[in-house]
Amino acid sequence: MISWPANYNTTFTLQSSVKVSGVGLHTGLNSEITLSKSDQKGFHVFFRDNPENKIKLTPDLISSTKLCTALNLNGRKLYTVEHLLAALAGCGMNFIDIEVEGNEVPLLDGSSIGWVESFEKAGIEEIPNKKSILKKVDRSISLNKDSSLITLIPSEKLEIISIIDFPYGAIGQQQLDIAINPKTFVEQIAPARTFGFKDQLDQLTASGLIKGGNLNNALVCDGDSWINPPLRFVNEPVRHKILDLIGDLALIGLPSAKILVYKGSHALHADLTSALSKINF
């Protein structure tokens, strides 16, 4: 067990490579990810059958935000990257190669904790760094999409205030205000699982989605109750929404900012990363 720090003053990478395999949420197909130390800064993805074509992850690679974040990597799609990227960014990891066999990142148990455990299995090492890896923001940003809103203001640390509001008694309105660092991420955010709704399952299945979803990798809400309790946290849904935001921000880098997000979505997160890429960040 690694003692993760309570700040982002240390950058980590992997000591050795580690393989993780499993089923994809939407494709229902098995895939395998190999994580290893890179000699270049950032997160670099390549497919196993084309190892020479490494692509550094950036926000402009986003191709779809429907129920997950999907990337277009030189004409090849990679789906559901957010839980892996949340684990990497949340733990302060960098200089990482991501080898992919398949076209969707394994869902594992629907959270990021399995990825954190893979880092601990491989071992981590520090990269010399004399300042916080959080990226400074030189201005405030406020964006909205339909009834959703996200506002970012410069700060000395990363703090996320997330509010969700669902018309289901089991969830309702939830709010969490949390300072994000490797310690709080691993203990309070990484274990939070993705969730869905029983009354939407047939429609999603008919649309060719969630082929790999089951009661072992997603919480399912049935109005006033959960089909597969217990929850890991009383407010596990809002924690997972923060996990998704961290994963989407990983494409640009975690900001030194306070972020308020109301009814967040991958589409709204993508708008924020796009806005950040256009300023002095």
Side-chain angles (χ1 to χ4, degrees):
M1 180 69 69
I2 291 172
S3 180
W4 294 97
N7 57 59
Y8 282 111
N9 295 337
T10 304
T11 305
F12 298 105
T13 190
L14 295 174
Q15 288 182 338
S16 61
S17 63
V18 61
K19 295 181 185 294
V20 179
S21 60
V23 69
L25 171 60
H26 294 300
T27 63
L29 301 174
N30 286 319
S31 60
E32 184 174 77
I33 301 292
T34 302
L35 303 171
S36 57
K37 181 179 180 179
S38 173
D39 58 3
Q40 296 181 314
K41 186 177 182 180
F43 308 133
H44 306 265
V45 173
F46 62 96
F47 291 94
R48 185 170 296 171
D49 59 5
N50 191 9
E52 302 303 318
N53 187 23
K54 286 186 183 180
I55 301 171
K56 183 177 181 179
L57 296 188
T58 56
D60 60 302
L61 297 174
I62 296 174
S63 64
S64 173
T65 54
K66 185 177 182 180
L67 297 183
C68 74
T69 296
L71 307 179
N72 186 337
L73 304 173
N74 286 344
R76 296 177 66 169
K77 296 292 182 65
L78 181 61
Y79 296 90
T80 321
V81 300
E82 59 270 19
H83 299 171
L84 167 57
L85 296 184
L88 289 167
C91 289
M93 305 292 288
N94 210 315
F95 291 82
I96 299 293
D97 279 343
I98 304 170
E99 180 190 79
V100 181
E101 173 66 22
N103 65 349
E104 187 171 16
V105 175
L107 182 61
L108 306 183
D109 72 348
S111 77
S112 287
I113 198 65
W115 296 108
V116 174
E117 291 168 351
S118 75
F119 307 159
E120 296 179 340
K121 177 181 177 181
I124 63 172
E125 62 182 55
E126 295 184 16
I127 296 174
N129 181 43
K130 296 183 179 180
K131 60 181 181 179
S132 172
I133 63 173
L134 296 178
K135 301 176 72 173
K136 295 289 185 180
V137 186
D138 68 353
R139 70 194 71 176
S140 298
I141 298 172
S142 187
L143 303 165
N144 71 284
K145 185 178 288 290
D146 300 323
S147 62
S148 300
L149 170 72
I150 193 163
T151 297
L152 176 153
I153 60 174
S155 178
E156 293 303 310
K157 60 183 180 181
L158 175 58
E159 180 182 356
I160 298 177
I161 305 167
S162 179
I163 303 169
I164 62 174
D165 193 356
F166 287 94
Y168 299 89
I171 302 176
Q173 187 176 96
Q174 298 181 7
Q175 177 176 330
L176 182 64
D177 181 345
I178 184 170
I180 300 295
N181 54 60
K183 179 177 174 62
T184 59
F185 175 79
V186 170
E187 294 177 356
Q188 301 186 45
I189 300 299
R193 294 161 292 176
T194 192
F195 59 96
F197 309 97
K198 183 181 178 182
D199 61 5
Q200 297 177 9
L201 295 182
D202 290 343
Q203 178 184 354
L204 293 172
T205 302
S207 299
L209 300 170
I210 64 167
K211 295 178 181 178
N214 60 59
L215 297 180
N216 293 317
N217 58 28
L219 290 168
V220 180
C221 176
D222 185 13
D224 292 336
S225 62
W226 294 94
I227 291 177
N228 53 339
L231 274 64
R232 293 174 178 171
F233 307 93
V234 173
N235 56 354
E236 191 167 352
V238 73
R239 292 173 188 264
H240 186 80
K241 284 292 189 177
I242 292 174
L243 186 158
D244 280 343
L245 174 58
I246 293 170
D248 291 335
L249 284 171
L251 291 167
I252 186 73
L254 297 185
S256 185
K258 178 177 290 188
I259 302 173
L260 169 64
V261 55
Y262 174 68
K263 296 171 67 172
S265 67
H266 292 299
L268 186 64
H269 304 164
D271 287 347
L272 178 60
T273 60
S274 178
L276 286 169
S277 68
K278 296 173 182 176
I279 66 173
N280 182 22
F281 177 64

